[in-house]
Amino acid sequence: MSELQDRIAGIVDRIAQAEKKSGRPQGATKLIAVSKTKSFEHIQEAYDLGLRHFGENYIQEATRKIERAKLQNLDVHWHLIGPLQTNKSKYAVGRFDTIQSVDRIDLAKILNKRAAEAQVIQKIMIQVKLGDEPTKSGVPVGALDVLLGQMQGLERLQVVGLMSLPPLDAEPEASRHYFVQLRKLKEELLKKFESQQMKFEELSMGTTFDFDIAIEEGATMIRVGTAIFGRRGEAR
Amino acid sequence: MTPNSSESFSENLTLEENLTRVVMDKAWAAFSKLSSRNNDGFIVLSADTVVCLGKLVLGKPRNARDAKAMLGRLRNKTHCVKTAICLLNSSTEESVIHIESTLVKFHRLTDAEIQKYIDSGEPFDKAGSYGIQGLGASFIKSVDGDFLNVVGLPLRQVQRLLEKKGWNVRTSRSNRRHSRSHRSS
């Protein structure tokens, strides 16, 4: 067994246990491998071991990988999980299966325009800011209704769910109340905004450190980098 | 005085996110240019430096007034110099990013000293309006961390990352491609 195979098996096992513990159906959680800064060969290797969802942060880097995966007919679902600048939106639309980091109306509008030009329906998620995060990304909870209201009529966008990256705590259990909060938000938003365009089926939350808890609280997508590829990437 | 250092910095991102983004952009831009005319493998090194004083982020001064204001703020205080570096390996297209921080304490400076320094012309292409490797050296009371990071490239970290990745770099010019900015913003 390769090191990577070992690590992936360990994660798949953790996912299954968390699903079982919370009475959710097996396979309810999509494992997104955070592959930013990793080589295409890393992705290929993980793909060969069964992973199908990959998360990227940087447009130029991701574009190269997406093209290569296409050339090799790999059945990869690409997720943009890092902040997107409006001037790069045209490179993201149609390439990523889901753009998870939409957090403001100007970005939503330009994505809608680009999707119309490319004649595609672009799946997006709303990134929500929970707690005092070090990041500026994400729409504050109090501004969600306004944003979604403004997004009515952006017909080329399909809002598939919510994404969040709550502040990390040394203790994984500390994340639980954020995950609960995001799940409740999703339920509220469904009541208010559900339509063909806004479905809110997905909850993208939980990383290497706390994904078990995220799954217990209803995550349908978890974003795992370190636990899959190791600490070789961003050396902070 | 520009509150935000770089014209390409986004107000939607944190400083670290902006720095990371800028060096990734630079590295990939250089990669695209170089890969079309290089069959051999190469490694791109990009870097970007800013000076932080509390929540203020200082880039290059736009003019003498700007430089004067920046140096006036820095005197008799400790600021942080942050350099982001990105190494991109053309063979695997794998990259690695690091942000190095160094604390620098300035002496008390008189207005006359600042004016004299500005008249030398040195501040204008430098983040924070000073060069530690030049006449600006006399402003420095102490440095806590990597001195070369303040110059604009933390070489020790570059070497550490190369070793960690197992990327061997021969030092002949043909095998080394640098795309970097010198204390730019």
Side-chain angles (χ1 to χ4, degrees), chain A:
Chain A
M1 245 200 200
S2 75
E3 224 178 288
L4 183 67
Q5 195 170 5
D6 252 357
R7 284 196 291 253
I8 291 176
I11 294 160
V12 169
D13 191 50
R14 266 172 75 187
I15 294 172
Q17 282 183 24
E19 285 173 343
K20 198 172 162 192
K21 186 175 167 190
S22 51
R24 299 182 58 203
Q26 295 286 301
T29 319
K30 297 183 196 82
L31 170 59
I32 299 179
V34 178
S35 49
K36 64 177 173 185
T37 76
K38 307 300 171 204
S39 69
F40 186 77
E41 283 66 33
H42 283 129
I43 291 173
Q44 176 86 59
E45 205 184 335
Y47 181 90
D48 291 340
L49 292 166
L51 300 195
R52 291 295 176 268
H53 295 267
F54 291 87
E56 291 282 337
N57 277 51
Y58 308 103
I59 294 290
Q60 295 106 309
E61 182 194 6
T63 303
R64 297 275 300 180
K65 293 174 180 172
I66 293 171
E67 295 308 316
R68 281 179 78 174
K70 233 187 242 169
L71 279 175
Q72 300 188 26
N73 288 318
L74 303 190
D75 173 31
V76 175
H77 298 266
W78 296 98
H79 302 263
L80 181 63
I81 55 178
L84 177 60
Q85 289 163 293
T86 46
N87 61 1
K88 291 196 177 128
S89 57
K90 68 171 172 231
Y91 304 109
V93 165
R95 283 211 171 94
F96 287 94
D97 191 67
T98 312
I99 298 172
Q100 298 203 0
S101 49
V102 179
D103 60 358
R104 52 193 200 277
I105 188 62
D106 63 327
L107 179 60
K109 279 183 176 163
I110 195 124
L111 288 173
N112 186 64
K113 192 175 155 210
R114 298 296 179 209
E117 285 163 8
Q119 299 190 312
V120 294
I121 300 290
Q122 178 65 52
K123 283 193 275 184
I124 64 160
M125 299 177 81
I126 306 296
Q127 183 173 354
V128 183
K129 181 173 175 158
L130 300 174
D132 294 321
E133 298 169 62
T135 172
K136 289 183 182 176
S137 306
V139 55
V141 173
L144 258 173
D145 280 10
V146 173
L147 176 63
L148 289 166
Q150 288 172 324
M151 285 177 61
Q152 301 292 322
L154 299 182
E155 290 174 347
R156 291 285 173 172
L157 302 184
Q158 189 170 41
V159 184
V160 298
L162 302 178
M163 184 268 256
S164 191
L165 185 64
L168 271 185
D169 194 279
E171 181 52 55
E173 191 61 37
S175 303
R176 188 182 296 275
H177 75 279
Y178 291 117
F179 298 146
V180 171
Q181 193 187 356
L182 199 68
R183 186 189 67 219
K184 288 186 174 160
L185 272 173
K186 183 189 101 163
E187 285 156 11
E188 282 170 34
L189 293 175
L190 259 178
K191 280 182 211 151
K192 287 187 211 161
F193 292 100
E194 188 177 14
S195 67
Q196 273 299 101
Q197 187 211 353
M198 296 192 180
K199 292 194 186 297
F200 301 105
E201 285 157 344
E202 308 281 2
L203 272 182
S204 175
M205 57 188 192
T207 62
T208 292
F209 307 100
D210 51 18
F211 72 72
D212 320 70
I213 294 161
I215 292 170
E216 286 170 33
E217 297 304 338
T220 64
M221 295 174 173
I222 56 171
R223 307 182 301 273
V224 182
T226 313
I228 294 178
F229 296 111
R231 284 200 171 276
R232 290 173 297 170
E234 281 180 68
R236 290 273 162 126

Side-chain angles (χ1 to χ4, degrees), chain B residues 5-175:
Chain B
S5 65
S6 169
E7 53 287 5
S8 60
F9 275 19
S10 158
E11 58 182 26
N12 298 316
L13 302 179
T14 62
L15 176 60
E16 279 72 18
E17 286 171 335
N18 269 313
L19 280 171
T20 305
R21 193 146 297 258
V22 166
V23 290
M24 273 296 253
D25 282 356
K26 282 186 188 179
W28 280 92
F31 169 82
S32 318
K33 270 191 195 161
L34 293 168
S35 58
S36 54
R37 44 188 164 90
N38 278 276
N39 294 322
D40 294 340
F42 56 90
I43 290 170
V44 179
L45 165 62
S46 59
D48 198 63
T49 302
V50 289
V51 166
C52 310
L53 184 69
K55 286 195 170 179
L56 263 185
V57 179
L58 309 178
K60 294 183 205 172
R62 281 177 300 193
N63 49 42
R65 239 183 92 189
D66 219 15
K68 196 173 168 183
M70 282 193 204
L71 293 167
R73 282 177 189 270
L74 293 175
R75 67 180 155 192
N76 200 28
K77 281 192 190 138
T78 300
H79 63 267
C80 184
V81 177
K82 283 180 189 283
T83 302
I85 51 175
C86 175
L87 288 161
L88 170 61
N89 186 327
S90 75
S91 314
T92 59
E93 298 184 23
E94 190 182 358
S95 55
V96 60
I97 299 161
H98 173 83
I99 297 178
E100 181 76 12
S101 300
T102 305
L103 294 176
V104 178
K105 187 166 189 193
F106 262 36
H107 284 296
R108 291 171 196 278
L109 306 175
T110 63
D111 290 349
E113 282 173 301
I114 289 176
Q115 191 54 53
K116 198 178 157 198
Y117 184 60
I118 290 167
D119 292 342
S120 78
E122 191 173 279
F124 295 106
D125 57 345
K126 296 178 177 67
S129 302
Y130 76 95
I132 198 169
Q133 69 277 31
L135 298 170
S138 66
F139 295 172
I140 312 299
K141 191 168 187 182
S142 63
V143 175
D144 182 5
D146 186 353
F147 174 86
L148 289 177
N149 187 45
V150 187
V151 180
L153 187 66
L155 268 179
R156 218 172 53 84
Q157 283 299 337
V158 172
Q159 194 180 10
R160 191 184 67 85
L161 294 176
L162 286 170
E163 275 168 15
K164 196 173 148 205
K165 286 284 177 186
W167 295 346
N168 294 315
V169 181
R170 276 171 293 162
T171 45
S172 72
R173 290 301 303 172
S174 61
N175 279 298

